[in-house]
Coordinates of all heavy atoms in Angstrom, one line a residue:
G111 N 3.5 21.0 -8.6 CA 3.0 20.2 -9.7 C 1.5 20.2 -9.7 O 0.8 21.0 -9.1
G112 N 0.9 19.3 -10.5 CA -0.6 19.3 -10.7 C -0.9 18.9 -12.1 O -0.1 18.2 -12.8
N113 N -2.0 19.3 -12.6 CA -2.5 18.9 -13.9 C -2.9 20.1 -14.8 O -2.9 21.2 -14.3 CB -3.6 17.9 -13.8 CG -3.9 17.0 -15.0 OD1 -3.1 17.1 -15.9 ND2 -5.0 16.3 -15.0
K114 N -3.3 19.8 -16.0 CA -3.8 20.9 -16.9 C -5.0 21.6 -16.3 O -5.7 21.0 -15.4 CB -4.1 20.3 -18.2 CG -3.0 19.7 -19.0 CD -3.5 19.1 -20.3 CE -2.4 18.4 -21.1 NZ -3.0 17.9 -22.4
A115 N -5.3 22.8 -16.8 CA -6.6 23.4 -16.5 C -7.7 22.6 -17.0 O -7.6 22.0 -18.1 CB -6.6 24.8 -17.1
V116 N -8.8 22.5 -16.3 CA -10.0 21.7 -16.7 C -11.2 22.5 -16.6 O -11.3 23.5 -15.9 CB -10.1 20.4 -15.9 CG1 -8.8 19.5 -16.1 CG2 -10.3 20.7 -14.4
T117 N -12.2 22.0 -17.3 CA -13.6 22.5 -17.2 C -14.5 21.5 -16.6 O -14.1 20.6 -16.0 CB -14.1 23.0 -18.6 OG1 -15.4 23.5 -18.5 CG2 -14.1 21.8 -19.6
Y118 N -15.8 21.6 -16.8 CA -16.8 20.7 -16.2 C -16.4 19.3 -16.5 O -16.1 18.9 -17.7 CB -18.2 21.0 -16.7 CG -18.6 22.5 -16.5 CD1 -18.9 23.3 -17.6 CD2 -18.8 23.0 -15.2 CE1 -19.3 24.6 -17.4 CE2 -19.2 24.3 -15.0 CZ -19.4 25.1 -16.1 OH -19.8 26.4 -15.9
G119 N -16.6 18.4 -15.5 CA -16.3 17.0 -15.7 C -14.8 16.6 -15.8 O -14.5 15.5 -16.2
G120 N -14.0 17.6 -15.5 CA -12.5 17.3 -15.5 C -11.9 17.3 -16.9 O -10.8 16.8 -17.1
I121 N -12.7 17.8 -17.9 CA -12.2 17.8 -19.3 C -11.2 19.0 -19.5 O -11.4 20.1 -19.0 CB -13.4 18.0 -20.3 CG1 -14.3 16.8 -20.1 CG2 -12.9 18.1 -21.7 CD1 -15.6 17.0 -20.9
S122 N -10.1 18.7 -20.2 CA -9.1 19.7 -20.3 C -9.6 20.9 -21.1 O -10.4 20.8 -22.0 CB -7.9 19.1 -21.1 OG -7.2 18.1 -20.4
V123 N -9.2 22.1 -20.6 CA -9.6 23.3 -21.3 C -9.0 23.4 -22.6 O -7.8 23.2 -22.9 CB -9.2 24.5 -20.4 CG1 -9.3 25.8 -21.2 CG2 -10.0 24.6 -19.1
N124 N -9.9 23.9 -23.6 CA -9.4 24.2 -24.9 C -10.2 25.3 -25.5 O -11.1 25.9 -24.8 CB -9.4 22.9 -25.9 CG -10.8 22.3 -25.9 OD1 -11.8 23.0 -26.2 ND2 -10.9 21.0 -25.8
E125 N -10.0 25.7 -26.8 CA -10.7 26.8 -27.3 C -12.2 26.6 -27.4 O -12.9 27.5 -27.4 CB -10.1 27.1 -28.8 CG -8.7 27.5 -28.7 CD -8.1 27.8 -30.1 OE1 -8.9 27.6 -31.1 OE2 -7.0 28.2 -30.3
T126 N -12.6 25.3 -27.5 CA -14.0 25.0 -27.6 C -14.7 25.0 -26.2 O -15.8 25.5 -26.1 CB -14.2 23.6 -28.3 OG1 -13.6 23.6 -29.5 CG2 -15.7 23.3 -28.4
T127 N -14.0 24.5 -25.2 CA -14.7 24.3 -23.9 C -14.8 25.6 -23.1 O -15.7 25.8 -22.3 CB -13.9 23.3 -23.1 OG1 -12.6 23.8 -22.8 CG2 -13.8 22.0 -23.7
G128 N -13.9 26.5 -23.3 CA -13.8 27.7 -22.5 C -13.2 27.3 -21.1 O -12.7 26.1 -20.9
N129 N -13.2 28.2 -20.2 CA -12.5 28.0 -18.9 C -13.4 28.5 -17.8 O -13.0 29.5 -17.1 CB -11.1 28.7 -18.9 CG -10.3 28.3 -17.7 OD1 -10.7 27.5 -16.9 ND2 -9.1 28.9 -17.5
P130 N -14.5 27.9 -17.5 CA -15.5 28.5 -16.5 C -14.9 28.5 -15.1 O -15.4 29.3 -14.2 CB -16.7 27.5 -16.6 CG -16.1 26.3 -17.1 CD -15.0 26.7 -18.1
Y131 N -14.0 27.6 -14.7 CA -13.4 27.5 -13.4 C -12.3 28.5 -13.2 O -11.8 28.7 -12.1 CB -13.0 26.1 -13.0 CG -14.1 25.1 -12.9 CD1 -13.8 23.8 -13.1 CD2 -15.4 25.5 -12.7 CE1 -14.9 22.8 -13.1 CE2 -16.4 24.6 -12.6 CZ -16.1 23.2 -12.8 OH -17.2 22.3 -12.7
E132 N -11.8 29.1 -14.3 CA -10.8 30.2 -14.3 C -9.5 29.7 -13.7 O -8.7 30.4 -13.0 CB -11.3 31.4 -13.5 CG -12.5 32.0 -14.1 CD -13.0 33.3 -13.4 OE1 -12.2 33.8 -12.6 OE2 -14.2 33.7 -13.6
G133 N -9.2 28.4 -13.9 CA -7.9 27.9 -13.4 C -6.9 27.8 -14.5 O -7.2 27.9 -15.7
E134 N -5.6 27.6 -14.2 CA -4.5 27.5 -15.2 C -3.8 26.2 -15.0 O -3.9 25.5 -14.0 CB -3.6 28.7 -15.0 CG -4.3 30.0 -15.3 CD -3.3 31.2 -15.1 OE1 -2.1 31.0 -15.0 OE2 -3.8 32.4 -15.0
D135 N -3.0 25.9 -16.0 CA -2.2 24.6 -16.0 C -1.3 24.6 -14.7 O -0.5 25.6 -14.5 CB -1.3 24.6 -17.3 CG -0.7 23.3 -17.5 OD1 -0.4 22.6 -16.5 OD2 -0.4 22.9 -18.7
G136 N -1.3 23.6 -14.0 CA -0.5 23.5 -12.7 C 0.6 22.5 -12.8 O 1.3 22.3 -11.8
R137 N 0.9 22.0 -14.0 CA 2.0 20.9 -14.0 C 3.4 21.4 -13.7 O 4.2 20.7 -13.2 CB 1.9 20.2 -15.4 CG 0.7 19.4 -15.6 CD 0.6 18.9 -17.1 NE 0.5 20.0 -18.0 CZ 0.8 19.9 -19.3 NH1 1.1 18.7 -19.8 NH2 0.7 20.9 -20.1
F138 N 3.7 22.7 -14.0 CA 5.0 23.3 -13.7 C 5.0 24.0 -12.4 O 6.1 24.4 -12.0 CB 5.3 24.3 -14.8 CG 5.5 23.7 -16.2 CD1 4.4 23.5 -17.0 CD2 6.7 23.2 -16.7 CE1 4.5 23.0 -18.3 CE2 6.8 22.7 -18.0 CZ 5.7 22.6 -18.8
A139 N 3.9 24.2 -11.8 CA 3.8 25.2 -10.7 C 4.5 24.8 -9.4 O 4.6 23.6 -9.1 CB 2.3 25.4 -10.4
V140 N 5.0 25.8 -8.7 CA 5.5 25.6 -7.4 C 4.9 26.7 -6.5 O 5.0 27.9 -6.8 CB 7.1 25.8 -7.3 CG1 7.6 25.6 -5.9 CG2 7.7 24.8 -8.3
R141 N 4.1 26.3 -5.5 CA 3.2 27.2 -4.8 C 3.7 27.2 -3.3 O 4.3 26.2 -2.8 CB 1.8 26.8 -4.8 CG 1.3 26.4 -6.2 CD -0.1 25.7 -6.2 NE -0.4 25.2 -7.5 CZ 0.0 24.0 -7.9 NH1 0.7 23.2 -7.1 NH2 -0.3 23.5 -9.1
F142 N 3.5 28.3 -2.6 CA 4.0 28.5 -1.2 C 3.0 29.1 -0.3 O 2.2 29.9 -0.8 CB 5.2 29.4 -1.2 CG 6.4 28.9 -2.1 CD1 6.5 29.5 -3.4 CD2 7.2 28.0 -1.7 CE1 7.6 29.1 -4.2 CE2 8.3 27.5 -2.5 CZ 8.4 28.1 -3.8
L143 N 3.0 28.6 0.9 CA 2.1 29.2 2.0 C 2.9 29.3 3.3 O 3.5 28.3 3.7 CB 0.9 28.4 2.2 CG -0.1 28.9 3.2 CD1 -0.8 30.2 2.7 CD2 -1.1 27.9 3.6
K144 N 2.8 30.4 3.9 CA 3.3 30.6 5.3 C 2.0 30.7 6.1 O 1.3 31.6 6.1 CB 4.1 31.9 5.5 CG 5.6 31.8 5.2 CD 6.3 31.0 6.3 CE 7.8 31.0 6.1 NZ 8.4 32.3 6.5
P145 N 1.7 29.6 6.9 CA 0.5 29.6 7.7 C 0.3 30.7 8.7 O 1.3 31.3 9.1 CB 0.5 28.2 8.4 CG 1.4 27.4 7.5 CD 2.5 28.3 7.0
C146 N -0.9 31.1 9.0 CA -1.1 32.2 9.9 C -2.4 31.9 10.7 O -3.2 31.0 10.3 CB -1.3 33.5 9.1 SG -2.8 33.4 8.0
D147 N -2.6 32.7 11.8 CA -3.8 32.5 12.6 C -4.7 33.7 12.4 O -5.7 33.8 13.1 CB -3.4 32.3 14.1 CG -3.2 30.9 14.4 OD1 -4.0 30.0 13.9 OD2 -2.3 30.6 15.2
D148 N -4.3 34.7 11.6 CA -5.1 35.9 11.5 C -5.8 36.1 10.2 O -6.3 37.1 9.8 CB -4.2 37.2 11.7 CG -3.1 37.3 10.7 OD1 -3.0 36.4 9.8 OD2 -2.3 38.2 10.8
A149 N -5.9 34.9 9.4 CA -6.7 34.9 8.1 C -6.1 35.9 7.1 O -6.9 36.3 6.2 CB -8.2 35.2 8.4
T150 N -4.9 36.1 7.1 CA -4.3 37.0 6.1 C -3.4 36.3 5.1 O -3.0 36.9 4.1 CB -3.5 38.2 6.8 OG1 -2.4 37.6 7.6 CG2 -4.3 39.0 7.7
C151 N -3.0 35.1 5.4 CA -2.0 34.4 4.6 C -2.7 33.9 3.3 O -3.9 33.5 3.4 CB -1.3 33.3 5.3 SG -2.4 32.2 6.2
E152 N -2.0 33.9 2.2 CA -2.5 33.4 0.9 C -1.5 32.6 0.2 O -0.3 32.8 0.5 CB -3.0 34.5 0.0 CG -4.1 35.4 0.6 CD -5.5 34.7 0.6 OE1 -5.6 33.6 0.0 OE2 -6.4 35.3 1.3
W153 N -1.9 31.7 -0.6 CA -1.0 30.9 -1.5 C -0.3 31.9 -2.5 O -1.0 32.7 -3.1 CB -1.7 29.8 -2.2 CG -2.0 28.6 -1.3 CD1 -3.2 28.4 -0.7 CD2 -1.1 27.6 -1.0 NE1 -3.1 27.2 0.0 CE2 -1.9 26.7 -0.1 CE3 0.2 27.3 -1.3 CZ2 -1.3 25.5 0.4 CZ3 0.8 26.1 -0.8 CH2 0.0 25.3 0.1
T154 N 1.0 31.7 -2.7 CA 1.6 32.4 -3.8 C 1.9 31.4 -4.9 O 2.3 30.3 -4.6 CB 3.0 33.1 -3.4 OG1 3.9 32.0 -2.9 CG2 2.7 34.1 -2.2
D155 N 1.6 31.8 -6.1 CA 1.7 30.9 -7.3 C 2.2 31.7 -8.4 O 1.5 32.3 -9.2 CB 0.3 30.4 -7.6 CG 0.2 29.2 -8.6 OD1 1.2 29.1 -9.4 OD2 -0.8 28.5 -8.6
N156 N 3.6 31.8 -8.5 CA 4.2 32.8 -9.4 C 5.1 32.1 -10.4 O 5.9 31.2 -10.1 CB 5.1 33.7 -8.6 CG 5.6 34.9 -9.3 OD1 5.9 34.8 -10.5 ND2 5.7 36.1 -8.7
P157 N 4.8 32.3 -11.7 CA 5.6 31.6 -12.7 C 7.1 31.7 -12.6 O 7.8 30.8 -13.1 CB 5.1 32.3 -14.0 CG 3.7 32.8 -13.7 CD 3.8 33.2 -12.3
K158 N 7.6 32.7 -11.9 CA 9.1 32.8 -11.8 C 9.6 31.7 -10.9 O 10.8 31.4 -11.0 CB 9.5 34.2 -11.2 CG 9.1 34.4 -9.7 CD 9.6 35.7 -9.2 CE 9.3 35.9 -7.7 NZ 9.9 34.9 -6.8
D159 N 8.8 31.1 -10.2 CA 9.2 29.9 -9.3 C 9.0 28.6 -10.0 O 9.4 27.6 -9.4 CB 8.4 30.0 -8.0 CG 8.6 31.2 -7.2 OD1 9.8 31.7 -7.1 OD2 7.7 31.7 -6.6
Y160 N 8.4 28.5 -11.2 CA 8.0 27.3 -11.7 C 9.2 26.4 -12.1 O 10.3 26.8 -12.4 CB 7.1 27.5 -13.0 CG 5.7 27.9 -12.6 CD1 5.4 28.3 -11.3 CD2 4.8 28.0 -13.6 CE1 4.1 28.7 -11.1 CE2 3.5 28.4 -13.4 CZ 3.1 28.8 -12.1 OH 1.8 29.2 -11.8
M161 N 8.9 25.1 -12.2 CA 9.9 24.1 -12.7 C 10.0 24.2 -14.2 O 9.1 24.8 -14.9 CB 9.4 22.7 -12.2 CG 9.3 22.5 -10.7 SD 8.7 20.9 -10.3 CE 7.0 21.1 -10.8
T162 N 11.0 23.5 -14.7 CA 11.2 23.5 -16.2 C 10.5 22.2 -16.8 O 10.6 22.0 -18.0 CB 12.6 23.5 -16.5 OG1 13.3 22.4 -15.9 CG2 13.3 24.8 -16.0

Side-chain angles (χ1 to χ4, degrees):
N113 200 9
K114 297 178 180 179
V116 297
T117 181
Y118 304 116
I121 299 170
S122 295
V123 166
N124 56 48
E125 293 179 359
T126 303
T127 63
N129 189 5
Y131 294 155
E132 301 181 15
E134 298 178 13
D135 191 332
R137 292 173 297 163
F138 296 88
V140 182
R141 313 167 193 87
F142 303 98
L143 181 71
K144 273 288 187 77
C146 63
D147 272 323
D148 61 3
T150 61
C151 49
E152 298 289 350
W153 285 97
T154 61
D155 191 338
N156 193 322
K158 72 179 179 60
D159 298 320
Y160 284 10
M161 300 174 290
T162 58

